[in-house]
mmCIF file of all heavy atoms in Angstrom:
data_model
loop_
_atom_site.group_PDB
_atom_site.id
_atom_site.type_symbol
_atom_site.label_atom_id
_atom_site.label_comp_id
_atom_site.label_asym_id
_atom_site.label_seq_id
_atom_site.Cartn_x
_atom_site.Cartn_y
_atom_site.Cartn_z
ATOM 1 N N LEU A 34 -28.656 5.078 -78.539
ATOM 2 C CA LEU A 34 -27.227 5.344 -78.415
ATOM 3 C C LEU A 34 -26.410 4.244 -79.091
ATOM 4 O O LEU A 34 -26.850 3.095 -79.186
ATOM 5 C CB LEU A 34 -26.809 5.445 -76.943
ATOM 6 C CG LEU A 34 -27.330 6.642 -76.142
ATOM 7 C CD1 LEU A 34 -26.747 6.616 -74.727
ATOM 8 C CD2 LEU A 34 -27.004 7.960 -76.834
ATOM 9 N N SER A 40 -17.054 2.995 -74.365
ATOM 10 C CA SER A 40 -15.681 3.241 -74.792
ATOM 11 C C SER A 40 -15.484 4.690 -75.215
ATOM 12 O O SER A 40 -14.446 5.301 -74.934
ATOM 13 C CB SER A 40 -15.309 2.291 -75.925
ATOM 14 O OG SER A 40 -15.276 0.951 -75.470
ATOM 15 N N ALA A 61 -2.166 3.234 -70.968
ATOM 16 C CA ALA A 61 -2.235 2.118 -71.907
ATOM 17 C C ALA A 61 -3.388 2.364 -72.877
ATOM 18 O O ALA A 61 -4.302 3.145 -72.581
ATOM 19 C CB ALA A 61 -2.443 0.802 -71.165
ATOM 20 N N HIS A 71 -24.525 -9.848 -69.855
ATOM 21 C CA HIS A 71 -25.904 -9.540 -69.476
ATOM 22 C C HIS A 71 -26.652 -8.784 -70.576
ATOM 23 O O HIS A 71 -27.879 -8.681 -70.529
ATOM 24 C CB HIS A 71 -25.944 -8.752 -68.162
ATOM 25 C CG HIS A 71 -24.997 -7.593 -68.087
ATOM 26 N ND1 HIS A 71 -23.637 -7.724 -68.220
ATOM 27 C CD2 HIS A 71 -25.225 -6.276 -67.882
ATOM 28 C CE1 HIS A 71 -23.056 -6.550 -68.103
ATOM 29 N NE2 HIS A 71 -24.003 -5.651 -67.902
ATOM 30 N N VAL A 89 -7.988 -11.989 -68.663
ATOM 31 C CA VAL A 89 -7.395 -10.938 -69.492
ATOM 32 C C VAL A 89 -6.865 -9.798 -68.624
ATOM 33 O O VAL A 89 -5.728 -9.336 -68.793
ATOM 34 C CB VAL A 89 -8.421 -10.405 -70.513
ATOM 35 C CG1 VAL A 89 -7.911 -9.135 -71.191
ATOM 36 C CG2 VAL A 89 -8.733 -11.456 -71.563
ATOM 37 N N ALA A 118 -12.883 -6.394 -62.434
ATOM 38 C CA ALA A 118 -11.712 -5.533 -62.252
ATOM 39 C C ALA A 118 -11.262 -5.531 -60.800
ATOM 40 O O ALA A 118 -10.059 -5.612 -60.508
ATOM 41 C CB ALA A 118 -12.011 -4.113 -62.724
ATOM 42 N N ARG A 126 -2.698 -9.106 -56.194
ATOM 43 C CA ARG A 126 -1.993 -8.811 -54.924
ATOM 44 C C ARG A 126 -1.688 -10.088 -54.156
ATOM 45 O O ARG A 126 -0.626 -10.204 -53.514
ATOM 46 C CB ARG A 126 -2.837 -7.857 -54.062
ATOM 47 C CG ARG A 126 -2.111 -7.414 -52.789
ATOM 48 C CD ARG A 126 -0.906 -6.549 -53.118
ATOM 49 N NE ARG A 126 -0.096 -6.254 -51.943
ATOM 50 C CZ ARG A 126 1.015 -6.904 -51.609
ATOM 51 N NH1 ARG A 126 1.448 -7.925 -52.352
ATOM 52 N NH2 ARG A 126 1.708 -6.557 -50.539
ATOM 53 N N LEU A 137 -2.013 -1.672 -56.472
ATOM 54 C CA LEU A 137 -2.854 -2.221 -57.533
ATOM 55 C C LEU A 137 -4.290 -1.783 -57.274
ATOM 56 O O LEU A 137 -4.856 -2.100 -56.224
ATOM 57 C CB LEU A 137 -2.760 -3.751 -57.558
ATOM 58 C CG LEU A 137 -1.349 -4.339 -57.603
ATOM 59 C CD1 LEU A 137 -1.403 -5.861 -57.552
ATOM 60 C CD2 LEU A 137 -0.597 -3.864 -58.843
ATOM 61 N N SER A 160 -27.809 8.878 -59.888
ATOM 62 C CA SER A 160 -26.726 7.910 -60.050
ATOM 63 C C SER A 160 -26.672 7.497 -61.516
ATOM 64 O O SER A 160 -27.597 7.759 -62.282
ATOM 65 C CB SER A 160 -26.932 6.676 -59.153
ATOM 66 O OG SER A 160 -28.119 5.999 -59.508
ATOM 67 N N GLU A 196 -32.416 -4.730 -52.925
ATOM 68 C CA GLU A 196 -31.214 -4.082 -52.396
ATOM 69 C C GLU A 196 -31.262 -4.081 -50.873
ATOM 70 O O GLU A 196 -32.333 -3.962 -50.285
ATOM 71 C CB GLU A 196 -31.117 -2.640 -52.914
ATOM 72 C CG GLU A 196 -30.754 -2.551 -54.382
ATOM 73 C CD GLU A 196 -30.577 -1.126 -54.855
ATOM 74 O OE1 GLU A 196 -31.121 -0.205 -54.192
ATOM 75 O OE2 GLU A 196 -29.909 -0.922 -55.874
ATOM 76 N N PRO A 197 -30.102 -4.261 -50.204
ATOM 77 C CA PRO A 197 -28.738 -4.250 -50.731
ATOM 78 C C PRO A 197 -28.205 -5.617 -51.161
ATOM 79 O O PRO A 197 -26.994 -5.767 -51.351
ATOM 80 C CB PRO A 197 -27.928 -3.712 -49.563
ATOM 81 C CG PRO A 197 -28.638 -4.280 -48.374
ATOM 82 C CD PRO A 197 -30.107 -4.263 -48.729
ATOM 83 N N LYS A 254 -1.622 8.341 -41.974
ATOM 84 C CA LYS A 254 -2.310 9.234 -41.048
ATOM 85 C C LYS A 254 -3.197 10.190 -41.804
ATOM 86 O O LYS A 254 -2.938 10.520 -42.934
ATOM 87 C CB LYS A 254 -1.288 10.023 -40.233
ATOM 88 C CG LYS A 254 -0.426 9.153 -39.335
ATOM 89 C CD LYS A 254 0.570 10.006 -38.540
ATOM 90 C CE LYS A 254 1.447 9.150 -37.661
ATOM 91 N NZ LYS A 254 2.413 9.942 -36.893
#
Side-chain angles (χ1 to χ4, degrees):
L34 292 183
S40 294
H71 48 301
V89 169
R126 185 67 187 99
L137 308 177
S160 62
E196 288 184 338
K254 296 180 181 180

